[in-house]
Amino acid sequence: MSLHTAGSLTLLGFEPSFMRLPPPRLEVSDAELMWINPDYSPHLLWETGLCQDNSKGAEVRELMSKAFKGPLIPTQQQQVLAELEADSRLVYHCGLTPQKLPDLVENNPMIAIECLLKLMSSSQLNEYLSALVNMDMSLHSMEVVNRLTTAVDLPTEFIHLYISNCISSCENIKDKYMQNRLVRLVCVFLQSLIRNKIINVQDLFIEVQAFCIEFSRIREAAGLFRLLKTLE
C-alpha cells in the first residue's frame, strides 16, 4: 500500500495491469467514403448587378413618369426606346402598370408598343391587354394593336373583343364628325387585319357586315364591305 498525501491508504500501487489491445479499425464503406470525400464542390454565386450604376434605370423611370402625362420630345423618346432595347428587364421597373397603360398609349404609342412587346412573357400580360381593350378607342390605340398583331401572335379572343369594342364605340358616339372619322379608322384597321390574315373574317363576318351596312355612306365602309364579299 502507498501512503496518500492526506494520510489515507490507497491501492494505487497494487492495481494489476491489464493488457488492452487497440480495437480493430472498422472497414470504410463506399458510402462513407462518399460522405467523407464528396465529389462535388459548391460554387459561389455572384450577384453581377450588385453595386452597378443604376442611374440609367432612374432616368428611364423619370422619363416614363413624364410619358404618362404627355408626349415626350423625340430625343427623350429615343432614349427610352434605346434603354428598353438594351435591357428588357427595365420594363418591369420603369413604373408601368396596367392602369397607366392607356395614358402611355395616348401620349407615347411607340413606347407603349415597345413595352408591350417586352411584356409578352409577363404573368400580367392579360391585365395589360385587358386595359388596352377597355380604353377609349382612338387612332393611337388602333396603331398599337395593329403593330402588336403584326409583330407577335396575340390571343384571338383579345383581337375579337377589341374589334367588337371598336364597332360599339362607332355606333354609340353622338358627334357625327367624330363618328365618321372613327368609322374610317376602324375600316382601315379591319382591312389591314384581313389582308394580313391576322383574323379569320368568318369569325366576325355577321358583326362586321352589319357595321359596313350601317355606315355604307362612308367610302371606307363600302370598300370593306366589298372586301368581305370577295372572301365569301
Side-chain angles (χ1 to χ4, degrees), residues 101 116 120 125-135 141-142 144-149 152-166 189 193 198-199 204:
L101 180 62
L116 288 170
M120 281 298 140
L125 177 61
N126 288 337
E127 296 179 37
Y128 283 100
L129 293 181
S130 178
L132 189 57
V133 164
N134 293 317
M135 68 176 290
S141 71
M142 278 189 283
V144 169
V145 174
N146 192 43
R147 288 286 297 274
L148 288 177
T149 56
V152 295
D153 292 329
L154 291 175
T156 303
E157 58 272 18
F158 161 74
I159 300 177
H160 289 177
L161 183 57
Y162 183 78
I163 292 172
S164 296
N165 284 356
C166 287
F189 173 65
L193 295 181
I198 293 171
I199 62 170
L204 296 165

Side-chain angles (χ1 to χ4, degrees), residues 1-4 7-14:
M1 294 186 180
S2 60
L3 187 62
H4 194 267
S8 60
L9 296 176
T10 66
L11 298 175
L12 292 175
F14 299 96

Side-chain angles (χ1 to χ4, degrees), residues 138-206:
S138 66
L139 172 61
H140 285 170
S141 71
M142 278 189 283
E143 179 185 2
V144 169
V145 174
N146 192 43
R147 288 286 297 274
L148 288 177
T149 56
T150 57
V152 295
D153 292 329
L154 291 175
T156 303
E157 58 272 18
F158 161 74
I159 300 177
H160 289 177
L161 183 57
Y162 183 78
I163 292 172
S164 296
N165 284 356
C166 287
I167 291 175
S168 177
S169 297
C170 290
E171 293 171 344
N172 294 329
I173 192 169
K174 302 301 181 183
D175 188 298
K176 286 296 182 182
Y177 172 79
M178 287 301 301
Q179 185 183 59
N180 292 345
R181 182 170 181 268
L182 290 179
V183 168
R184 291 188 180 96
L185 291 176
V186 172
C187 289
V188 173
F189 173 65
L190 289 174
Q191 288 185 43
S192 174
L193 295 181
I194 294 171
R195 289 198 171 99
N196 291 323
K197 298 181 179 179
I198 293 171
I199 62 170
N200 183 358
V201 71
Q202 299 303 325
D203 296 337
L204 296 165
F205 187 85
I206 296 176

